[in-house]
């Protein structure tokens, strides 16, 4: 999704629960599924995030094209308009939906099972970054 400021299109699935799986200087990874207690099945991986305005967990996001004002805000703060600008409203537990905005150099949409507890992953499965074998830190 490079240079695209249209509404984000997700693959078909039950993407109700969302949270931040990983966030560092080079990457923001959001995980999603119908219930995040044990696993998630979709990740939005933003490379080189320059602006992140979203809660650490949220529900039922409605993705939309960013407004011209939001794109200008990102450009003013980052010094240029990044390749990816994603906007959405989501239920973050408050009385009103949270208005969210993420700008980054690149976005990858990754499907697959990512377990949030220790187990030996089968082919095509992964473990969340914080999961360690028993007795390991």
């Amino acid at each position: 999704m490079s240079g695209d400021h249209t509404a984000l299109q997700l693959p078909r699935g039950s993407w109700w629960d969302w949270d931040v799986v990983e966030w560092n200087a080079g990457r923001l990874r959001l995980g999603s599924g119908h219930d995040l207690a044990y696993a998630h099945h979709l990740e939005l991986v933003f490379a080189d995030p320059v602006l992140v305005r979203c809660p650490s967990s949220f529900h039922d996001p409605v993705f939309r094209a960013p407004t011209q004002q939001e794109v200008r805000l990102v450009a003013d703060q980052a010094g240029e308009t990044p390749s990816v600008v994603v906007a959405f409203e989501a239920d973050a537990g408050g009385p009103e939906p949270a208005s969210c905005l993420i700008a980054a150099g690149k976005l990858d949409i990754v499907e697959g099972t990512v377990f949030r507890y220790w187990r030996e992953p089968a082919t095509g499965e992964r473990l969340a970054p914080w999961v360690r074998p028993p007795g390991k830190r």
Side-chain angles (χ1 to χ4, degrees):
M1 184 171 181
S2 181
D4 188 5
H5 297 146
T6 60
L8 178 64
Q9 296 294 315
L10 298 178
R12 292 177 80 70
S14 179
W15 315 127
W16 188 77
D17 267 345
W18 291 79
D19 69 2
V20 174
V21 173
E22 177 184 25
W23 189 3
N24 57 49
R27 179 173 39 228
L28 171 67
R29 183 183 307 264
L30 300 178
S32 181
H34 67 278
D35 179 355
L36 299 182
Y38 299 106
H40 62 269
H41 304 284
L42 179 74
E43 290 182 337
L44 300 183
V45 183
F46 295 89
D48 301 319
V50 295
L51 185 139
V52 177
R53 187 176 71 196
C54 77
S56 60
S57 65
F58 53 93
H59 307 285
D60 203 20
V62 176
F63 293 94
R64 59 173 174 76
T67 65
Q68 289 181 348
Q69 181 181 357
E70 288 169 329
V71 172
R72 269 195 311 276
L73 170 77
V74 170
D76 289 349
Q77 291 189 8
E80 64 182 13
T81 303
S83 299
V84 176
V85 180
V86 173
F88 59 96
E89 271 70 46
D91 176 358
E96 297 291 326
S99 185
C100 305
L101 187 64
I102 301 172
K106 182 180 175 194
L107 170 61
D108 290 314
I109 299 173
V110 181
E111 289 185 88
T113 300
V114 180
F115 291 102
R116 293 167 170 246
Y117 63 94
W118 172 250
R119 62 174 280 156
E120 287 291 337
T123 303
E125 298 175 340
R126 295 177 289 129
L127 299 175
W130 61 85
V131 175
R132 300 286 180 260
K136 304 276 183 183
R137 289 191 175 221

